[in-house]
Amino acid sequence: MQQEHIVILGGGYGGLRAVEHLAGDPRFRITLIDRHPYHYLQTEAYGYIAGRFDIHDITIDLANWCRGFGRHVAFKQAEITGVDPEAKEVVLEHERIPYDSLIVATGARTNFFAFIKGLRENSYGVKNLQRAFAFRQTFEQLVYTKVEETRDPEPAELQIAIGGAGLSGVEIAAEMADVIEKHHKTLGTNAKKIRITLIDAADTILPGMSSYIVNRTAKRLESLGIRILTNAFIDRVEDGAIHLKDGTALSYRFMIFTGGIIANTLQSDVPLETNRLGQIVPDAYLRLSPHMNVYAVGDCVELKDAKGNLLPPTAQTAEKSAEYVAASIRKRLNGDPVSPFHAKVDGVFVALGGRYAVGELFGIIRVSGYTAYLLKKLITKGYYLGLKLRINTGFKKRTEA
């Protein structure tokens, strides 16, 4: 039987979910391509940055993971330079890979807005592992600096600024503040002189989320001593100072920016419609028309619900779009009709430091505190366990080969 070759670009949440939902069909041969040899669990970045998790808790080896499915699933580490839809080939640095169906899942990166002078030069993002690693090192250095100041009777405050009070910014701020709060007895009281400020241009933290999530989160952040500035528009960033449009200047030692994303783009011989975030605007079936065998999933594509509302660029949304595309490819081969993509957010959990979280499921189930933490942990552990089991299988196959 001639197998259809499906090439998937990107080893993020969408790319991996597409592999999982296609690998069980013997009609497919799958190649996953990524510039990095690992899958980065971005949803756990907050814990890694604050020192709660280690590097092995947030990375998965893609070669061993793919090998765990069998010989019909392969991983290739390479820089993707473009796509040639007419020739039905993916263009890499030194070769071309032919495909029958292509799934673009290249994700997104931090959008350091060009209109904010000095933002890119003076702040960090956490959309990739390298920046998260640098951020963790810097945070640990700041804590160490405060621990060393034990002889200073009046230690100066050390300011950490976080631009963007969306999900990533809030979770990172809460986790860092919780680490400082819980360990100041052993680290020394000077460690509590590290102050964290959240800055957002919106009129609320977590814009777009329910009032329950927003209110419970705000109370938790305030209890952790985090300063929240909303309706605060950053005009420019200098080394050591953030200038707001209202003339206010905020001093800082270290700044992280989580205030927006921009899609990772691909060079293509066919012009693609994109939105202001650089995301591909697909047809109703997540196809990049007129090339019906090319699809896009995850953060690199504009996704909408049944009412036409934009869906947030989350791991949950990426996985739902990947599941839909995988099912669509199978239906196409079977000759079955395919319905347009319609998805919705089932729920959201916000990790708020230590064993505390806030969550909402299906718009009706609301939990906070330790219960929400356990539910979020259960979801995360289930995902991670599935990856680890597949890796163990792949590693065993490699050693036996």
Side-chain angles (χ1 to χ4, degrees), residues 217-287:
T217 298
K219 289 181 180 179
R220 171 64 174 174
L221 295 179
E222 290 167 3
S223 72
L224 290 170
I226 296 170
R227 182 186 181 191
I228 301 172
L229 298 180
T230 53
N231 289 310
F233 296 83
I234 299 175
D235 180 61
R236 69 186 188 278
V237 181
E238 298 174 347
D239 183 14
I242 300 168
H243 297 270
L244 305 182
K245 288 188 180 296
D246 65 2
T248 303
L250 305 173
S251 63
Y252 75 96
R253 175 70 71 84
F254 180 77
M255 179 180 182
I256 180 172
F257 187 72
T258 65
I261 65 165
I262 188 166
N264 292 319
T265 56
L266 286 173
Q267 294 296 321
S268 174
D269 295 336
V270 176
L272 300 172
E273 182 184 356
T274 57
N275 64 15
R276 64 182 180 85
L277 301 179
Q279 294 172 314
I280 300 167
V281 180
D283 67 9
Y285 304 91
L286 302 190
R287 300 173 304 196

Side-chain angles (χ1 to χ4, degrees), residues 38 40 48 55 58-59 126-134:
Y38 53 79
Y40 168 40
Y48 173 69
I55 191 75
I58 61 166
T59 57
V126 294
K127 291 294 287 183
N128 65 62
L129 182 61
Q130 182 180 10
R131 283 188 171 272
F133 177 70

